[in-house]
Amino acid sequence: MRRIRPVLELVASSLIYSLIVMVIDLVAIFFFSRELNRIASSLSFVMLVEGGLGLIMGGAVVLYSPAVSKIGEVIFHFKPWSAKRQKAEEKHANSWIVTGVFLVFEALLISAL
């Protein structure tokens, strides 16, 4: 039961995030394009791009290696990575990845309709 609860919370929060993004996209697309036949295809495309970006960004955070971290510290003067900070960032990355998956799935669902 202890393992299932965090997973359900992650899925629920990511689903809510993806629905919020979908509503914002729908309002923005409706504002710029009043043609009803183009809204579904535009919304599907925008959500597919956003979902892909979410997957890429989440994957980049998860795969952030110590060597790349050191380069970021030296060149860009980023804060050093600790094990605690890495674990916190991985939790955020999981949210990015699951939200990206939901956005891609919703975009495919919209394009099928």
Side-chain angles (χ1 to χ4, degrees), residues 74-109:
V74 172
I75 295 175
F76 301 114
H77 304 290
F78 291 155
K79 291 190 291 187
W81 282 82
S82 63
K84 185 177 178 181
R85 184 170 177 223
Q86 179 73 25
K87 188 133 179 113
E89 291 300 321
E90 285 178 359
K91 285 185 180 182
H92 291 294
N94 288 341
S95 180
W96 279 94
I97 291 170
V98 175
T99 303
V101 167
F102 279 130
L103 284 170
V104 168
F105 180 71
E106 291 167 357
L108 293 175
L109 201 67

mmCIF file of all heavy atoms in Angstrom, residues 74-109:
data_model
loop_
_atom_site.group_PDB
_atom_site.id
_atom_site.type_symbol
_atom_site.label_atom_id
_atom_site.label_comp_id
_atom_site.label_asym_id
_atom_site.label_seq_id
_atom_site.Cartn_x
_atom_site.Cartn_y
_atom_site.Cartn_z
ATOM 1 N N VAL A 74 31.119 24.689 -13.679
ATOM 2 C CA VAL A 74 32.291 25.469 -14.076
ATOM 3 C C VAL A 74 31.924 26.554 -15.084
ATOM 4 O O VAL A 74 32.301 27.719 -14.927
ATOM 5 C CB VAL A 74 33.379 24.535 -14.658
ATOM 6 C CG1 VAL A 74 34.516 25.328 -15.266
ATOM 7 C CG2 VAL A 74 33.888 23.587 -13.588
ATOM 8 N N ILE A 75 31.171 26.208 -16.112
ATOM 9 C CA ILE A 75 30.883 27.152 -17.194
ATOM 10 C C ILE A 75 29.752 28.104 -16.834
ATOM 11 O O ILE A 75 29.857 29.314 -17.009
ATOM 12 C CB ILE A 75 30.574 26.396 -18.497
ATOM 13 C CG1 ILE A 75 31.820 25.636 -18.952
ATOM 14 C CG2 ILE A 75 30.105 27.352 -19.582
ATOM 15 C CD1 ILE A 75 31.598 24.763 -20.149
ATOM 16 N N PHE A 76 28.635 27.558 -16.336
ATOM 17 C CA PHE A 76 27.445 28.373 -16.116
ATOM 18 C C PHE A 76 27.247 28.776 -14.657
ATOM 19 O O PHE A 76 26.264 29.426 -14.322
ATOM 20 C CB PHE A 76 26.202 27.631 -16.611
ATOM 21 C CG PHE A 76 26.267 27.291 -18.073
ATOM 22 C CD1 PHE A 76 26.336 25.972 -18.490
ATOM 23 C CD2 PHE A 76 26.266 28.288 -19.024
ATOM 24 C CE1 PHE A 76 26.390 25.657 -19.826
ATOM 25 C CE2 PHE A 76 26.320 27.975 -20.373
ATOM 26 C CZ PHE A 76 26.393 26.655 -20.771
ATOM 27 N N HIS A 77 28.136 28.356 -13.780
ATOM 28 C CA HIS A 77 28.085 28.680 -12.354
ATOM 29 C C HIS A 77 26.792 28.199 -11.694
ATOM 30 O O HIS A 77 26.195 28.904 -10.886
ATOM 31 C CB HIS A 77 28.275 30.188 -12.124
ATOM 32 C CG HIS A 77 29.534 30.716 -12.724
ATOM 33 N ND1 HIS A 77 30.785 30.403 -12.234
ATOM 34 C CD2 HIS A 77 29.744 31.508 -13.800
ATOM 35 C CE1 HIS A 77 31.706 30.998 -12.972
ATOM 36 N NE2 HIS A 77 31.099 31.669 -13.946
ATOM 37 N N PHE A 78 26.351 26.985 -12.078
ATOM 38 C CA PHE A 78 25.200 26.377 -11.438
ATOM 39 C C PHE A 78 25.576 25.916 -10.038
ATOM 40 O O PHE A 78 26.745 25.714 -9.733
ATOM 41 C CB PHE A 78 24.696 25.169 -12.229
ATOM 42 C CG PHE A 78 24.066 25.509 -13.544
ATOM 43 C CD1 PHE A 78 24.049 24.575 -14.564
ATOM 44 C CD2 PHE A 78 23.470 26.730 -13.769
ATOM 45 C CE1 PHE A 78 23.460 24.861 -15.772
ATOM 46 C CE2 PHE A 78 22.877 27.029 -14.977
ATOM 47 C CZ PHE A 78 22.873 26.084 -15.982
ATOM 48 N N LYS A 79 24.560 25.725 -9.203
ATOM 49 C CA LYS A 79 24.816 25.183 -7.873
ATOM 50 C C LYS A 79 25.253 23.727 -8.008
ATOM 51 O O LYS A 79 24.774 23.007 -8.891
ATOM 52 C CB LYS A 79 23.547 25.236 -7.013
ATOM 53 C CG LYS A 79 23.117 26.631 -6.626
ATOM 54 C CD LYS A 79 22.013 26.615 -5.594
ATOM 55 C CE LYS A 79 20.738 26.095 -6.185
ATOM 56 N NZ LYS A 79 19.593 26.198 -5.278
ATOM 57 N N PRO A 80 26.161 23.277 -7.143
ATOM 58 C CA PRO A 80 26.595 21.873 -7.215
ATOM 59 C C PRO A 80 25.440 20.920 -6.894
ATOM 60 O O PRO A 80 24.567 21.232 -6.087
ATOM 61 C CB PRO A 80 27.687 21.766 -6.158
ATOM 62 C CG PRO A 80 27.883 23.102 -5.587
ATOM 63 C CD PRO A 80 26.860 24.027 -6.128
ATOM 64 N N TRP A 81 25.480 19.773 -7.544
ATOM 65 C CA TRP A 81 24.455 18.760 -7.327
ATOM 66 C C TRP A 81 24.848 17.907 -6.140
ATOM 67 O O TRP A 81 25.968 17.440 -6.029
ATOM 68 C CB TRP A 81 24.314 17.872 -8.555
ATOM 69 C CG TRP A 81 23.541 18.524 -9.649
ATOM 70 C CD1 TRP A 81 24.022 19.407 -10.556
ATOM 71 C CD2 TRP A 81 22.173 18.367 -9.933
ATOM 72 N NE1 TRP A 81 23.030 19.811 -11.401
ATOM 73 C CE2 TRP A 81 21.879 19.181 -11.049
ATOM 74 C CE3 TRP A 81 21.150 17.620 -9.383
ATOM 75 C CZ2 TRP A 81 20.614 19.265 -11.597
ATOM 76 C CZ3 TRP A 81 19.892 17.701 -9.933
ATOM 77 C CH2 TRP A 81 19.627 18.513 -11.025
ATOM 78 N N SER A 82 23.894 17.676 -5.266
ATOM 79 C CA SER A 82 24.084 16.741 -4.170
ATOM 80 C C SER A 82 23.126 15.579 -4.387
ATOM 81 O O SER A 82 22.234 15.644 -5.244
ATOM 82 C CB SER A 82 23.803 17.425 -2.830
ATOM 83 O OG SER A 82 22.460 17.831 -2.762
ATOM 84 N N ALA A 83 23.295 14.544 -3.607
ATOM 85 C CA ALA A 83 22.400 13.395 -3.737
ATOM 86 C C ALA A 83 20.964 13.785 -3.394
ATOM 87 O O ALA A 83 20.009 13.330 -4.033
ATOM 88 C CB ALA A 83 22.871 12.265 -2.839
ATOM 89 N N LYS A 84 20.808 14.660 -2.411
ATOM 90 C CA LYS A 84 19.470 15.108 -2.006
ATOM 91 C C LYS A 84 18.808 15.922 -3.119
ATOM 92 O O LYS A 84 17.635 15.723 -3.427
ATOM 93 C CB LYS A 84 19.588 15.946 -0.735
ATOM 94 C CG LYS A 84 18.278 16.365 -0.153
ATOM 95 C CD LYS A 84 18.498 17.139 1.141
ATOM 96 C CE LYS A 84 17.174 17.602 1.710
ATOM 97 N NZ LYS A 84 17.352 18.375 2.935
ATOM 98 N N ARG A 85 19.575 16.808 -3.727
ATOM 99 C CA ARG A 85 19.037 17.634 -4.810
ATOM 100 C C ARG A 85 18.717 16.780 -6.033
ATOM 101 O O ARG A 85 17.709 16.991 -6.709
ATOM 102 C CB ARG A 85 20.039 18.726 -5.175
ATOM 103 C CG ARG A 85 19.508 19.675 -6.209
ATOM 104 C CD ARG A 85 20.392 20.882 -6.385
ATOM 105 N NE ARG A 85 19.863 21.718 -7.441
ATOM 106 C CZ ARG A 85 20.594 22.296 -8.367
ATOM 107 N NH1 ARG A 85 21.896 22.195 -8.337
ATOM 108 N NH2 ARG A 85 20.042 23.022 -9.307
ATOM 109 N N GLN A 86 19.561 15.795 -6.310
ATOM 110 C CA GLN A 86 19.326 14.892 -7.441
ATOM 111 C C GLN A 86 18.027 14.123 -7.245
ATOM 112 O O GLN A 86 17.235 13.986 -8.170
ATOM 113 C CB GLN A 86 20.505 13.926 -7.594
ATOM 114 C CG GLN A 86 20.352 12.925 -8.712
ATOM 115 C CD GLN A 86 20.509 13.521 -10.094
ATOM 116 O OE1 GLN A 86 21.158 14.545 -10.242
ATOM 117 N NE2 GLN A 86 19.936 12.881 -11.073
ATOM 118 N N LYS A 87 17.784 13.636 -6.033
ATOM 119 C CA LYS A 87 16.565 12.882 -5.755
ATOM 120 C C LYS A 87 15.326 13.776 -5.910
ATOM 121 O O LYS A 87 14.316 13.346 -6.466
ATOM 122 C CB LYS A 87 16.623 12.324 -4.342
ATOM 123 C CG LYS A 87 15.517 11.383 -4.001
ATOM 124 C CD LYS A 87 16.086 10.176 -3.332
ATOM 125 C CE LYS A 87 14.986 9.240 -2.960
ATOM 126 N NZ LYS A 87 15.034 8.029 -3.715
ATOM 127 N N ALA A 88 15.420 15.022 -5.442
ATOM 128 C CA ALA A 88 14.293 15.949 -5.578
ATOM 129 C C ALA A 88 14.020 16.255 -7.045
ATOM 130 O O ALA A 88 12.860 16.315 -7.473
ATOM 131 C CB ALA A 88 14.578 17.230 -4.803
ATOM 132 N N GLU A 89 15.075 16.459 -7.819
ATOM 133 C CA GLU A 89 14.898 16.748 -9.251
ATOM 134 C C GLU A 89 14.339 15.552 -10.000
ATOM 135 O O GLU A 89 13.586 15.707 -10.961
ATOM 136 C CB GLU A 89 16.219 17.197 -9.870
ATOM 137 C CG GLU A 89 16.677 18.560 -9.398
ATOM 138 C CD GLU A 89 15.683 19.667 -9.718
ATOM 139 O OE1 GLU A 89 15.079 19.641 -10.805
ATOM 140 O OE2 GLU A 89 15.512 20.547 -8.866
ATOM 141 N N GLU A 90 14.685 14.337 -9.575
ATOM 142 C CA GLU A 90 14.141 13.148 -10.223
ATOM 143 C C GLU A 90 12.642 13.029 -9.977
ATOM 144 O O GLU A 90 11.908 12.559 -10.841
ATOM 145 C CB GLU A 90 14.870 11.901 -9.747
ATOM 146 C CG GLU A 90 16.245 11.754 -10.353
ATOM 147 C CD GLU A 90 16.996 10.550 -9.846
ATOM 148 O OE1 GLU A 90 16.475 9.806 -8.994
ATOM 149 O OE2 GLU A 90 18.133 10.349 -10.313
ATOM 150 N N LYS A 91 12.171 13.464 -8.803
ATOM 151 C CA LYS A 91 10.727 13.465 -8.552
ATOM 152 C C LYS A 91 10.027 14.433 -9.498
ATOM 153 O O LYS A 91 8.965 14.134 -10.035
ATOM 154 C CB LYS A 91 10.436 13.844 -7.101
ATOM 155 C CG LYS A 91 10.720 12.750 -6.131
ATOM 156 C CD LYS A 91 10.311 13.135 -4.736
ATOM 157 C CE LYS A 91 10.614 12.014 -3.772
ATOM 158 N NZ LYS A 91 10.193 12.336 -2.410
ATOM 159 N N HIS A 92 10.635 15.607 -9.711
ATOM 160 C CA HIS A 92 10.063 16.567 -10.659
ATOM 161 C C HIS A 92 10.111 16.002 -12.074
ATOM 162 O O HIS A 92 9.184 16.201 -12.861
ATOM 163 C CB HIS A 92 10.811 17.893 -10.617
ATOM 164 C CG HIS A 92 10.616 18.649 -9.348
ATOM 165 N ND1 HIS A 92 9.412 19.176 -8.968
ATOM 166 C CD2 HIS A 92 11.476 18.963 -8.358
ATOM 167 C CE1 HIS A 92 9.521 19.782 -7.820
ATOM 168 N NE2 HIS A 92 10.780 19.671 -7.409
ATOM 169 N N ALA A 93 11.182 15.303 -12.400
ATOM 170 C CA ALA A 93 11.313 14.717 -13.736
ATOM 171 C C ALA A 93 10.250 13.654 -13.968
ATOM 172 O O ALA A 93 9.706 13.554 -15.070
ATOM 173 C CB ALA A 93 12.702 14.122 -13.922
ATOM 174 N N ASN A 94 9.936 12.886 -12.930
ATOM 175 C CA ASN A 94 8.876 11.886 -13.068
ATOM 176 C C ASN A 94 7.551 12.554 -13.399
ATOM 177 O O ASN A 94 6.787 12.059 -14.225
ATOM 178 C CB ASN A 94 8.743 11.070 -11.781
ATOM 179 C CG ASN A 94 9.888 10.119 -11.583
ATOM 180 O OD1 ASN A 94 10.605 9.795 -12.523
ATOM 181 N ND2 ASN A 94 10.080 9.685 -10.357
ATOM 182 N N SER A 95 7.295 13.687 -12.781
ATOM 183 C CA SER A 95 6.069 14.427 -13.071
ATOM 184 C C SER A 95 6.064 14.928 -14.516
ATOM 185 O O SER A 95 5.040 14.858 -15.201
ATOM 186 C CB SER A 95 5.930 15.592 -12.093
ATOM 187 O OG SER A 95 4.759 16.304 -12.349
ATOM 188 N N TRP A 96 7.209 15.449 -14.982
ATOM 189 C CA TRP A 96 7.318 15.894 -16.375
ATOM 190 C C TRP A 96 7.044 14.736 -17.333
ATOM 191 O O TRP A 96 6.335 14.888 -18.327
ATOM 192 C CB TRP A 96 8.713 16.438 -16.657
ATOM 193 C CG TRP A 96 8.948 17.841 -16.229
ATOM 194 C CD1 TRP A 96 9.475 18.250 -15.046
ATOM 195 C CD2 TRP A 96 8.680 19.019 -16.978
ATOM 196 N NE1 TRP A 96 9.545 19.621 -15.016
ATOM 197 C CE2 TRP A 96 9.068 20.114 -16.187
ATOM 198 C CE3 TRP A 96 8.159 19.256 -18.239
ATOM 199 C CZ2 TRP A 96 8.951 21.426 -16.615
ATOM 200 C CZ3 TRP A 96 8.041 20.559 -18.656
ATOM 201 C CH2 TRP A 96 8.429 21.627 -17.861
ATOM 202 N N ILE A 97 7.635 13.597 -17.051
ATOM 203 C CA ILE A 97 7.522 12.446 -17.957
ATOM 204 C C ILE A 97 6.081 11.938 -18.005
ATOM 205 O O ILE A 97 5.523 11.709 -19.087
ATOM 206 C CB ILE A 97 8.497 11.332 -17.542
ATOM 207 C CG1 ILE A 97 9.935 11.790 -17.801
ATOM 208 C CG2 ILE A 97 8.202 10.031 -18.277
ATOM 209 C CD1 ILE A 97 10.992 10.878 -17.220
ATOM 210 N N VAL A 98 5.460 11.755 -16.853
ATOM 211 C CA VAL A 98 4.085 11.227 -16.840
ATOM 212 C C VAL A 98 3.119 12.229 -17.461
ATOM 213 O O VAL A 98 2.216 11.848 -18.209
ATOM 214 C CB VAL A 98 3.672 10.849 -15.394
ATOM 215 C CG1 VAL A 98 2.227 10.420 -15.342
ATOM 216 C CG2 VAL A 98 4.574 9.742 -14.865
ATOM 217 N N THR A 99 3.312 13.526 -17.195
ATOM 218 C CA THR A 99 2.471 14.535 -17.830
ATOM 219 C C THR A 99 2.670 14.530 -19.338
ATOM 220 O O THR A 99 1.706 14.652 -20.101
ATOM 221 C CB THR A 99 2.783 15.935 -17.256
ATOM 222 O OG1 THR A 99 2.589 15.897 -15.834
ATOM 223 C CG2 THR A 99 1.892 16.988 -17.862
ATOM 224 N N GLY A 100 3.915 14.368 -19.787
ATOM 225 C CA GLY A 100 4.196 14.270 -21.220
ATOM 226 C C GLY A 100 3.514 13.081 -21.856
ATOM 227 O O GLY A 100 2.968 13.179 -22.969
ATOM 228 N N VAL A 101 3.509 11.962 -21.160
ATOM 229 C CA VAL A 101 2.835 10.765 -21.674
ATOM 230 C C VAL A 101 1.335 11.025 -21.802
ATOM 231 O O VAL A 101 0.714 10.670 -22.816
ATOM 232 C CB VAL A 101 3.114 9.544 -20.766
ATOM 233 C CG1 VAL A 101 2.200 8.390 -21.091
ATOM 234 C CG2 VAL A 101 4.565 9.123 -20.883
ATOM 235 N N PHE A 102 0.749 11.656 -20.784
ATOM 236 C CA PHE A 102 -0.682 11.966 -20.860
ATOM 237 C C PHE A 102 -0.987 12.930 -21.998
ATOM 238 O O PHE A 102 -1.987 12.780 -22.698
ATOM 239 C CB PHE A 102 -1.197 12.539 -19.539
ATOM 240 C CG PHE A 102 -1.497 11.498 -18.497
ATOM 241 C CD1 PHE A 102 -0.995 11.629 -17.215
ATOM 242 C CD2 PHE A 102 -2.271 10.405 -18.783
ATOM 243 C CE1 PHE A 102 -1.254 10.681 -16.245
ATOM 244 C CE2 PHE A 102 -2.556 9.448 -17.830
ATOM 245 C CZ PHE A 102 -2.040 9.586 -16.559
ATOM 246 N N LEU A 103 -0.143 13.939 -22.196
ATOM 247 C CA LEU A 103 -0.365 14.892 -23.285
ATOM 248 C C LEU A 103 -0.287 14.209 -24.647
ATOM 249 O O LEU A 103 -1.105 14.474 -25.532
ATOM 250 C CB LEU A 103 0.629 16.039 -23.206
ATOM 251 C CG LEU A 103 0.351 17.089 -22.126
ATOM 252 C CD1 LEU A 103 1.535 18.029 -22.005
ATOM 253 C CD2 LEU A 103 -0.914 17.846 -22.441
ATOM 254 N N VAL A 104 0.683 13.342 -24.824
ATOM 255 C CA VAL A 104 0.803 12.611 -26.091
ATOM 256 C C VAL A 104 -0.419 11.714 -26.296
ATOM 257 O O VAL A 104 -1.000 11.671 -27.387
ATOM 258 C CB VAL A 104 2.113 11.793 -26.135
ATOM 259 C CG1 VAL A 104 2.121 10.821 -27.299
ATOM 260 C CG2 VAL A 104 3.311 12.723 -26.208
ATOM 261 N N PHE A 105 -0.825 11.008 -25.244
ATOM 262 C CA PHE A 105 -1.988 10.128 -25.344
ATOM 263 C C PHE A 105 -3.254 10.929 -25.665
ATOM 264 O O PHE A 105 -4.051 10.530 -26.521
ATOM 265 C CB PHE A 105 -2.163 9.336 -24.044
ATOM 266 C CG PHE A 105 -3.335 8.412 -24.050
ATOM 267 C CD1 PHE A 105 -3.320 7.262 -24.827
ATOM 268 C CD2 PHE A 105 -4.472 8.699 -23.309
ATOM 269 C CE1 PHE A 105 -4.412 6.407 -24.852
ATOM 270 C CE2 PHE A 105 -5.567 7.863 -23.324
ATOM 271 C CZ PHE A 105 -5.537 6.709 -24.098
ATOM 272 N N GLU A 106 -3.448 12.069 -24.985
ATOM 273 C CA GLU A 106 -4.622 12.902 -25.251
ATOM 274 C C GLU A 106 -4.580 13.466 -26.670
ATOM 275 O O GLU A 106 -5.613 13.570 -27.329
ATOM 276 C CB GLU A 106 -4.708 14.032 -24.230
ATOM 277 C CG GLU A 106 -5.048 13.563 -22.837
ATOM 278 C CD GLU A 106 -4.837 14.618 -21.763
ATOM 279 O OE1 GLU A 106 -4.350 15.733 -22.104
ATOM 280 O OE2 GLU A 106 -5.140 14.341 -20.607
ATOM 281 N N ALA A 107 -3.387 13.840 -27.146
ATOM 282 C CA ALA A 107 -3.272 14.353 -28.512
ATOM 283 C C ALA A 107 -3.633 13.286 -29.527
ATOM 284 O O ALA A 107 -4.345 13.561 -30.512
ATOM 285 C CB ALA A 107 -1.847 14.858 -28.769
ATOM 286 N N LEU A 108 -3.193 12.067 -29.300
ATOM 287 C CA LEU A 108 -3.551 10.974 -30.205
ATOM 288 C C LEU A 108 -5.037 10.678 -30.143
ATOM 289 O O LEU A 108 -5.669 10.376 -31.171
ATOM 290 C CB LEU A 108 -2.729 9.727 -29.873
ATOM 291 C CG LEU A 108 -1.228 9.833 -30.132
ATOM 292 C CD1 LEU A 108 -0.506 8.599 -29.648
ATOM 293 C CD2 LEU A 108 -0.942 10.085 -31.596
ATOM 294 N N LEU A 109 -5.617 10.786 -28.960
ATOM 295 C CA LEU A 109 -7.046 10.562 -28.808
ATOM 296 C C LEU A 109 -7.850 11.635 -29.540
ATOM 297 O O LEU A 109 -8.842 11.326 -30.220
ATOM 298 C CB LEU A 109 -7.405 10.551 -27.319
ATOM 299 C CG LEU A 109 -8.684 9.874 -26.907
ATOM 300 C CD1 LEU A 109 -8.568 8.373 -27.150
ATOM 301 C CD2 LEU A 109 -8.955 10.139 -25.445
#
